[in-house]
Amino acid sequence: MFAAAFHTCRHYILFTAMACLCVLLGGPSYAAGAESLFIAGVTYCEPGVSGPGWDWTDAEHLELTGYAGEAIGADGDLVVTLVGQNSVVETYAPDADISMSGMEVWGNLTLRGSGSLTATGSQCGIHVSQALVVDDCTVDARADGAGVVDQTVAGVAAGSLTVRGGGHVTATGTGADAGLRFYGACLLDEGFGADPASETLVVDASWLDATGMDAGVACNRGSLVAAHFVTPAGGFFAAAGVVDAGGAVAPHVMIEPDGATVPTGETDTPGSEVPGDGTGEPTGGADPASGRPGTGPATNPAVKPAATSSKTTVTKTTVSKTTKRKSTMATTPALPKTGDGYWITAFLTLFLLGTVLLSAAYRC
């Protein structure tokens, strides 16, 4: 009888332990997508809301249809479908969730669709803490450094950047403050370093035009698929980013698909629009933070025709606003979001509980 009781006890304990381990392994799966969305000065904590030119259909998807307004931010992964011409401008408010970027996503961001997006900010046009993918659409990201102190200024700042599907990306970082660092596209590690794609640029049969006084593209590595450098002539990827044939960091980088034709009115002459002293090279060495040649205009890719939409959106009642950290893009690694700490604590607690229960089961 006692043996049967112990046998039953052991089964109950094993069942409880397995349940705990299942929670431990499957707990965070529900958190896919953005936990909150900041748009037009308001924070929303649940999808199913919409407004003029935008519709947050579910946690992972946002649709912009001719949106023209204040900054957009998301806490978590987000896929944005672009329809027609859209534009975002940083929110000028000291208590805003994001105040120095046109678009800021703390996670992965995919921009897709037949439309276009112009993103303008002081520190970043677009800031993504992990991977940014531009698929088919046209994106123009610009930052001017206004009001930024001792930081990096970039048209695009992300953990990695992939341009594919015939996408067009223009990224420009300009300004006059000698204490700042200006990049067209700056691919940096903000806790994304464990991923092999971190700090990597990939252009797959698409266009990229990046201009910055310190570097057009700052990255650790990159690859071109069915695409080639137009500017700089003989350019290649180095540890500091894209460099010219002589190994100097290129302040202007143009990449286009193999066999691409030049639109009417644009030039395809390598170095014809490279900012600097006329030589096409910056004054510094291989470090993108050295040398500050003068700024020059970036060549804008042809914007795809705007699509029209008959969709009518209704502004929903907003929820209370939650404050997120502002982007600093400092040289020190970014700390995990507060919510990540709660998950780590919960995982450790469940793991220890499961271990204790398993030990007790074997003793039975």
Side-chain angles (χ1 to χ4, degrees):
M1 180 178 69
F2 289 109
F6 286 142
H7 184 71
T8 303
C9 172
R10 182 174 179 177
H11 274 75
Y12 279 130
I13 294 176
L14 282 173
F15 177 79
T16 304
M18 291 302 296
C20 291
L21 291 176
C22 287
V23 172
L24 175 64
L25 295 174
S29 60
Y30 81 91
E35 297 177 6
S36 61
L37 178 73
F38 174 78
I39 185 168
V42 180
T43 298
Y44 300 87
C45 295
E46 296 290 341
V49 293
S50 60
W54 64 274
D55 187 358
W56 189 21
T57 56
D58 58 64
E60 294 180 321
H61 299 95
L62 172 69
E63 181 173 300
L64 299 181
T65 308
Y67 176 81
E70 294 183 349
I72 295 176
D75 187 4
D77 298 343
L78 190 64
V79 175
V80 179
T81 300
L82 302 174
V83 179
Q85 296 180 347
N86 303 272
S87 63
V88 290
V89 180
E90 74 172 74
T91 300
Y92 294 95
D95 61 343
D97 286 354
I98 56 176
S99 62
M100 304 191 80
S101 300
M103 179 172 282
E104 183 171 295
V105 172
W106 290 98
N108 300 295
L109 171 64
T110 297
L111 299 172
R112 67 183 186 185
S114 60
S116 64
L117 173 68
T118 300
T120 305
S122 296
Q123 188 170 2
C124 302
I126 298 176
H127 178 212
V128 180
S129 67
Q130 295 187 14
L132 169 60
V133 175
V134 177
D135 190 354
D136 184 42
C137 54
T138 297
V139 174
D140 188 343
R142 297 176 179 269
D144 59 13
V148 180
V149 179
D150 191 29
Q151 298 293 338
T152 293
V153 174
V156 170
S160 68
L161 171 62
T162 299
V163 190
R164 67 191 186 195
H168 291 70
V169 173
T170 300
T172 308
T174 60
D177 191 332
L180 301 177
R181 298 165 296 283
F182 297 93
Y183 306 103
C186 182
L187 309 183
L188 64 158
D189 180 6
E190 292 187 320
F192 187 44
D195 192 292
S198 177
E199 302 178 69
T200 300
L201 170 68
V202 177
V203 179
D204 185 349
S206 299
W207 286 261
L208 174 67
D209 190 338
T211 304
M213 292 189 296
D214 290 292
V217 176
C219 62
N220 275 357
R221 52 195 173 272
S223 64
L224 304 183
V225 180
H228 61 276
F229 287 109
V230 176
T231 301
F236 61 95
F237 292 100
V242 175
V243 299
D244 62 21
V249 173
H252 184 204
V253 175
M254 287 183 63
I255 299 170
E256 68 176 22
D258 294 339
T261 57
V262 182
T264 303
E266 294 188 9
T267 179
D268 195 27
T269 304
S272 60
E273 292 189 4
V274 177
D277 56 6
T279 65
E281 297 184 1
T283 56
D287 184 355
S290 65
R292 298 182 180 275
T295 182
T299 303
N300 292 323
V303 178
K304 300 181 182 180
T308 58
S309 173
S310 58
K311 184 176 181 179
T312 302
T313 58
V314 179
T315 303
K316 306 294 178 79
T317 304
T318 61
V319 298
S320 59
K321 180 177 178 180
T322 58
T323 302
K324 301 180 185 63
R325 60 185 181 187
K326 296 180 177 63
S327 169
T328 59
M329 287 178 58
T331 54
T332 55
L335 295 175
K337 291 179 287 185
T338 304
D340 294 342
Y342 294 131
W343 271 114
I344 293 171
T345 302
F347 291 166
L348 290 175
T349 301
L350 288 172
F351 178 76
L352 292 174
L353 177 60
T355 302
V356 171
L357 290 174
L358 285 173
S359 299
Y362 281 112
R363 283 196 297 270
C364 290

